[in-house]
Amino acid sequence: MSFVAHPQTLHFDAPLPLQSGASLRDYDLSYETYGQLNAARDNAVLICHALNASHHVAGVYEGQERSEGWWDNMIGPGKPVDTERFFVIGINNPGSCFGSTGPMHRNPDTGEIYGADFPVVTVEDWVDAQARLLHALGIEQLAAVMGGSLGGMQALSWTLQYPERVRHAVVVASAPNLSAENIAFNEVARRAIVTDPDFHGGHFYRHGVVPKRGLRIARMIGHITYLSDDVMNAKFGRELREAVAQNAGGYKFSTQDVEFQIESYLRYQGDKFSDYFDANTYLLITRALDYFDPARAHGDNLTRAFEATRAKFLLVSFSTDWRFPPARSREMVKALLENRRDVSYAEIDAPHGHDAFLLDDARYLNVVRSYFERIAGSAS
Amino acid sequence: MSFVAHPQTLHFDAPLPLQSGASLRDYDLSYETYGQLNAARDNAVLICHALNASHHVAGVYEGQERSEGWWDNMIGPGKPVDTERFFVIGINNPGSCFGSTGPMHRNPDTGEIYGADFPVVTVEDWVDAQARLLHALGIEQLAAVMGGSLGGMQALSWTLQYPERVRHAVVVASAPNLSAENIAFNEVARRAIVTDPDFHGGHFYRHGVVPKRGLRIARMIGHITYLSDDVMNAKFGRELREAVAQNAGGYKFSTQDVEFQIESYLRYQGDKFSDYFDANTYLLITRALDYFDPARAHGDNLTRAFEATRAKFLLVSFSTDWRFPPARSREMVKALLENRRDVSYAEIDAPHGHDAFLLDDARYLNVVRSYFERIAGSAS
C-alpha cells in the first residue's frame, strides 16, 4: 500500500526565456513532493520525467485505483530513494500535457489556445523552469537530481547549467545526445501526427477533433523501440491471437485483421495513448530529445563539455536497451573520468530493453539504493 | 554499360490454388530472362524478389537512364551470377505492383478492380506461381534459386516445396520466420496505410486517390530498419540540413520543419515511394513475410522442417543487419547440418545493415561468385 500523493501547482509571472529566443510568460508548473525537507534544506531530490510521464512520480491518488506514480517502485518510504530520508520533488515540464502549461492552454498574448504555436522547449529550458520551482520552494542546492531516458538528459543538464546547485546526478538509461536512428524514429512518429488530417496544422482543438491516427502510429513505433527483440519474442513470439483452422498454420489470412498477439498488444497501446496524450506535446517532447546535445557547443567534444560539471555521478544502463545502449552511457563515463569526476557506473544485464529503467530488477534497484545510502551518509 | 533487358508477360488460365483456400484465376506473370538456356536445360537460375522489387533484376531498359535492374551488380555477363554460363530468370510475384496480376487489376469474377479483395498470397503461393512459369519455359529443374530477405525465404521454400526441382539454394540476409519485432514493424506500417483516410478500405482506386500519407510512413519505417545505426551515424549523424544561427547550436527550433539531414533523407524516400508503390501490395507483401514459417507445421522444429530438403545451400548474412541478423541464418545452418545437408555459410562483416545484400561488398560478391563457379563446374 503506497502513500497518498497531493499534486500542487505554482503560478509564475516572470517570463521564462527559452533557448530559441522566445519566452514563456504566465505559466503554471505542476509538482508533487514526498517526505520532509530537513532544517538544513540539503536533502532534496529532484526527479525528472521522460516522454510520457509527469510530476506524479510516487504514491497514489486518494480513492483512485491503479494510480501509482510512474516510479513508485523506486521512490517512497523504505524504497531505493527513501522518502523517510529525502525530500523528493516530481515536476511536470512546460509543454507537457499533465498539468503544467502546455499547448492545450491559452496563450496569454493572444487569448487563443497555443496549439502548434506553443514555443519549442529544450532540455535546458526545462531545467531552468525546474530551477525556478526549486527556488520558490526554498531549495538552493539539490542532494541529487535523477532521471531515466529523457529524464536522465535533464539530470545531466543540471550538472552543466547549475553545477553548484546539485551534489549528485543519477542518470539512467540515457545518452549525451540522440543518434541519427533515434532522430529518425522520432521524425517518423512526428510525420504520422502532422500528416493526420485531424491535426489541422496543430490547431485541432478548434475543430473538436484529435489526430488519433497519428498518435496511435507514434505510440506503436515508440513501444517497439522501448522493448528489446528478446523480450518481445519471450512475451509474444509468433503467437496468434486466435487460431482459426488447424490446417495452414491456423492463420486467418487477412492483411487488416489482428493475426498475431504482438499486433493486438501494439494496437491496444496505441489506442490507449491516443485517448490521453496531446499531439503537440508529442512533437515538442520528441524535438527536445532531438536537440539535446551538450557537446555541440564544444566542437562535439563531450570531455570539454563536461568540464563544467561539479557533481558526483551514478550512471546506469541496460544491456538490451537499443534506444540508449550501454555504449552511450560509457561515452559519458569516459568523458567524466577524463575530467577526474567521481563516477559510479552500473551496466545491468536485463532483457527488457529501454523499458528496464522503469521495471523491478533487484540488481538495478539495489545499485540505486546503495548510491542513495551513500548520499544520505554524506549529507547527515 | 549493362545489356538491354526485355520484360515479358505470360498469361495463365488455370486457377492457382492459394494457401488460404482461395484461388487466383486468369493471371499474368511478368518476367525477364538473361543468358541462354543450354541444351540440357540444366543451367537455369531463378531470382526471387523482396518487398520493393520486381522481375527487372539485371540489365537496363532501352533508352531509359538509370534503369538498371535491382541486382545488376550481382547478375550479368562476367558478374558473380554469370549470364554467359547461366540462364537467369527474374519474375514478379502475383500481388506485386510491377506487372504481374495484383490488387490494381480487375478481378475476372466481378469485373471490378481487386483492391483489398485481392487474395492473401504467401511465400508458398509465390513459389507455386514461379514453378508454373518455369514449367511453361520448359525448365524442370533449377541449377539454383536465389534471393535476399523475403526473396531468400522464397529460395528456402523452393527446397521444401519442390525439393527435387532445385539443386542449389542461395539464401541471403534472410530468416526462417519473422521475429515479433519484425512483425511489429510491419504492423505499424500497415496501420499507417489502413488508417489513412485516402485508403478507403483498400478501394481507393475508385476514389481517384492514393493513401500517400500512409505509404510515406510505411516507407520511412522500412528505411530505418534496412539501415544500421552505424551507417546512419556515418552518413547523417546529427548533421543539420541548414544551420540558421551560430548561437543556440544553429537550430531553427521547429517541430515540423526539417532540421536534421536524416529527416530530409527519410522524407525524400517516403515521398518517392508513395509515388509508385501500391498500398494494397504493401499490405500483401508484409503479410506474406509475417506468415512465412516452415517450422510451424513441425511443432516449431526447424530441423524437422528441413528434412524435406535435397538441395545444397549457400547462406550469407551481414553483421549489422538487425532486421535479419546473423543469428537467424545460423539457425538455418544448424538445422540443415542436423539433416547432414551440404551448406556453405558466410557471415560478412559489413556496416550497411540489411541493405548490404544489395550493395557492392567485394567479399560478399566473391563468395557468391565462387559458389556459382562451383555450380557451373558441377553442371558442365
Side-chain angles (χ1 to χ4, degrees):
Chain A
M1 187 55 205
S2 214
F3 61 92
V4 171
H6 302 282
Q8 301 175 69
T9 298
L10 261 185
H11 182 77
F12 293 80
D13 283 323
L16 180 73
L18 304 174
Q19 226 186 339
S20 66
S23 68
L24 195 62
R25 76 174 181 91
D26 273 341
Y27 60 96
D28 288 334
L29 294 178
S30 292
Y31 66 101
E32 293 182 6
T33 68
Y34 325 106
Q36 298 296 326
L37 188 61
N38 64 13
R41 297 181 168 270
D42 69 357
N43 69 333
V45 174
L46 177 70
I47 307 293
C48 306
H49 71 76
L51 199 150
N52 172 36
S54 71
H55 50 292
H56 184 41
V57 176
V60 294
Y61 290 148
E62 186 98 60
Q64 280 187 41
E65 277 184 56
R66 283 178 299 182
S67 63
E68 286 79 11
W70 58 271
W71 226 347
D72 191 63
N73 60 340
M74 181 66 84
I75 293 150
K79 292 184 180 175
V81 182
D82 188 350
T83 52
E84 296 185 344
R85 287 169 146 179
F86 292 103
F87 178 64
V88 177
I89 304 134
I91 178 174
N92 188 220
N93 289 324
S96 179
C97 53
F98 297 112
S100 294
T101 297
M104 69 298 303
H105 296 124
R106 246 167 241 294
N107 180 347
D109 292 333
T110 64
E112 301 283 328
I113 303 287
Y114 276 112
D117 299 330
F118 195 88
V120 167
V121 282
T122 63
V123 166
E124 288 80 358
D125 297 332
W126 287 334
V127 168
D128 285 341
Q130 292 160 9
R132 290 185 175 204
L133 176 75
L134 294 182
H135 182 76
L137 298 179
I139 296 159
E140 288 308 316
Q141 193 188 54
L142 289 165
V145 60
M146 175 173 179
S149 189
L150 174 58
M153 290 176 168
Q154 295 160 55
L156 180 63
S157 205
W158 261 96
T159 71
L160 299 167
Q161 293 175 250
Y162 299 103
E164 308 295 347
R165 294 179 64 181
V166 49
R167 296 202 300 281
H168 294 268
V170 180
V171 178
V172 183
S174 196
N177 63 26
L178 292 196
S179 69
E181 188 184 77
N182 290 148
I183 297 174
F185 279 120
N186 282 347
E187 171 68 0
V188 183
R190 281 191 297 263
R191 293 316 289 168
I193 290 170
V194 166
T195 64
D196 183 332
D198 286 337
F199 183 65
H200 292 289
H203 296 289
F204 51 89
Y205 317 90
R206 293 177 196 162
H207 297 80
V209 292
V210 166
K212 287 199 171 197
R213 288 173 290 239
L215 279 165
R216 282 192 203 105
I217 297 297
R219 184 56 162 181
M220 291 170 89
I221 295 170
H223 248 281
I224 300 175
T225 66
Y226 302 150
L227 300 179
S228 69
D229 193 23
D230 286 357
V231 84
M232 279 181 124
N233 278 326
K235 256 175 112 164
F236 305 104
R238 298 182 48 81
E239 206 183 315
L240 301 179
R241 195 166 68 159
E242 42 172 347
V244 290
Q246 285 315 308
N247 53 356
Y251 293 146
K252 279 189 255 184
F253 293 104
S254 162
T255 57
Q256 297 187 38
D257 289 352
V258 165
E259 184 78 271
F260 296 92
Q261 287 289 9
I262 180 66
E263 297 174 319
S264 174
Y265 170 79
L266 283 178
R267 289 196 195 184
Y268 171 77
Q269 295 293 340
D271 287 347
K272 204 172 64 168
F273 187 72
S274 72
D275 280 343
Y276 71 84
F277 206 84
D278 181 78
N280 285 305
T281 291
Y282 201 93
L283 305 186
L284 288 166
I285 297 192
T286 53
R287 217 27 153 178
L289 271 162
D290 292 354
Y291 282 144
F292 183 67
D293 190 5
R296 192 173 191 93
H298 300 270
D300 295 327
N301 185 323
L302 196 61
T303 303
R304 288 229 308 276
F306 282 1
E307 276 176 21
T309 61
R310 293 294 173 268
K312 297 184 170 72
F313 287 82
L314 169 64
L315 280 83
V316 183
S317 71
F318 300 94
S319 55
T320 56
D321 182 353
W322 59 280
R323 195 179 170 96
F324 292 128
R328 304 309 314 272
S329 283
R330 282 187 232 124
E331 280 176 48
M332 295 189 277
V333 170
K334 179 170 179 286
L336 289 167
L337 290 176
E338 284 173 351
N339 283 295
R340 301 182 183 283
R341 296 294 175 266
D342 181 329
V343 195
S344 302
Y345 174 53
E347 202 168 298
I348 309 285
D349 190 11
H352 305 98
H354 188 59
D355 253 8
F357 90 87
L358 294 167
L359 302 178
D360 286 328
D361 180 294
R363 294 159 303 175
Y364 163 45
L365 295 179
N366 284 336
V367 162
V368 176
R369 180 183 294 279
S370 302
Y371 195 80
F372 273 88
E373 279 168 0
R374 172 182 157 193
I375 301 177
S378 66
S380 67
Chain B
M1 188 54 206
S2 214
F3 61 91
V4 172
H6 301 281
Q8 301 175 69
T9 298
L10 261 185
H11 182 76
F12 293 80
D13 282 322
L16 180 72
L18 304 174
Q19 227 186 339
S20 66
S23 69
L24 195 63
R25 76 173 180 90
D26 271 341
Y27 59 97
D28 287 334
L29 295 178
S30 292
Y31 67 99
E32 293 182 7
T33 68
Y34 324 106
Q36 297 298 324
L37 187 61
N38 63 14
R41 298 181 168 269
D42 67 358
N43 70 331
V45 175
L46 177 69
I47 306 294
C48 305
H49 70 77
L51 199 150
N52 173 35
S54 71
H55 51 292
H56 183 42
V57 175
V60 294
Y61 289 149
E62 186 97 60
Q64 280 186 42
E65 276 185 55
R66 285 178 299 182
S67 63
E68 285 80 12
W70 57 271
W71 226 347
D72 191 63
N73 60 340
M74 182 67 84
I75 293 149
K79 293 184 181 174
V81 182
D82 188 349
T83 51
E84 296 185 343
R85 287 168 145 179
F86 292 102
F87 178 63
V88 177
I89 304 134
I91 177 174
N92 188 219
N93 289 323
S96 179
C97 53
F98 296 112
S100 293
T101 298
M104 69 298 303
H105 295 124
R106 247 167 241 292
N107 180 346
D109 292 333
T110 64
E112 301 284 327
I113 302 288
Y114 276 112
D117 300 329
F118 194 88
V120 167
V121 280
T122 64
V123 166
E124 287 81 358
D125 296 332
W126 286 335
V127 167
D128 285 342
Q130 291 160 9
R132 290 187 175 202
L133 177 74
L134 293 183
H135 182 76
L137 298 179
I139 296 159
E140 289 309 315
Q141 193 188 53
L142 288 165
V145 59
M146 175 173 179
S149 190
L150 173 58
M153 290 175 166
Q154 295 160 55
L156 180 63
S157 206
W158 261 96
T159 70
L160 299 167
Q161 293 174 249
Y162 300 103
E164 308 295 348
R165 293 178 63 181
V166 48
R167 294 200 303 278
H168 295 268
V170 179
V171 178
V172 183
S174 196
N177 62 26
L178 291 197
S179 70
E181 188 183 78
N182 290 148
I183 296 174
F185 278 120
N186 281 348
E187 172 67 359
V188 183
R190 281 192 296 262
R191 294 315 289 167
I193 290 171
V194 166
T195 64
D196 183 331
D198 286 336
F199 184 65
H200 293 288
H203 295 290
F204 50 89
Y205 316 91
R206 293 177 197 160
H207 297 80
V209 293
V210 166
K212 287 200 172 198
R213 286 174 292 239
L215 279 166
R216 282 191 203 106
I217 297 295
R219 184 55 164 183
M220 291 169 89
I221 295 170
H223 248 280
I224 300 176
T225 67
Y226 303 151
L227 300 179
S228 69
D229 194 23
D230 287 356
V231 84
M232 278 180 125
N233 278 326
K235 255 175 113 164
F236 305 104
R238 297 182 48 82
E239 206 183 316
L240 301 178
R241 196 167 63 159
E242 42 173 345
V244 291
Q246 283 316 306
N247 53 358
Y251 293 146
K252 278 188 255 184
F253 293 105
S254 162
T255 58
Q256 296 186 39
D257 289 352
V258 164
E259 185 76 274
F260 297 92
Q261 287 290 8
I262 180 66
E263 297 174 317
S264 173
Y265 170 80
L266 284 178
R267 290 196 194 183
Y268 172 76
Q269 294 294 339
D271 287 347
K272 203 172 63 167
F273 188 71
S274 72
D275 280 342
Y276 72 83
F277 206 83
D278 180 77
N280 286 305
T281 291
Y282 201 93
L283 305 186
L284 289 166
I285 296 193
T286 54
R287 218 25 155 180
L289 272 161
D290 292 355
Y291 282 144
F292 184 66
D293 190 4
R296 193 172 190 94
H298 300 269
D300 295 326
N301 184 322
L302 197 61
T303 302
R304 287 228 309 276
F306 283 0
E307 275 176 22
T309 61
R310 293 293 172 270
K312 298 184 170 70
F313 286 82
L314 168 66
L315 280 83
V316 183
S317 72
F318 300 93
S319 55
T320 57
D321 182 353
W322 59 281
R323 196 179 170 97
F324 292 127
R328 304 310 313 273
S329 283
R330 283 187 231 123
E331 281 176 48
M332 295 189 277
V333 169
K334 179 171 177 287
L336 289 167
L337 289 176
E338 284 173 351
N339 282 296
R340 302 182 183 282
R341 295 293 174 268
D342 180 329
V343 195
S344 302
Y345 174 52
E347 201 168 298
I348 309 285
D349 190 10
H352 306 96
H354 188 60
D355 253 8
F357 89 86
L358 294 168
L359 302 179
D360 285 328
D361 181 294
R363 292 159 305 174
Y364 162 45
L365 295 180
N366 283 337
V367 162
V368 176
R369 179 184 294 278
S370 301
Y371 195 80
F372 274 88
E373 280 168 0
R374 172 182 155 192
I375 300 177
S378 66
S380 67

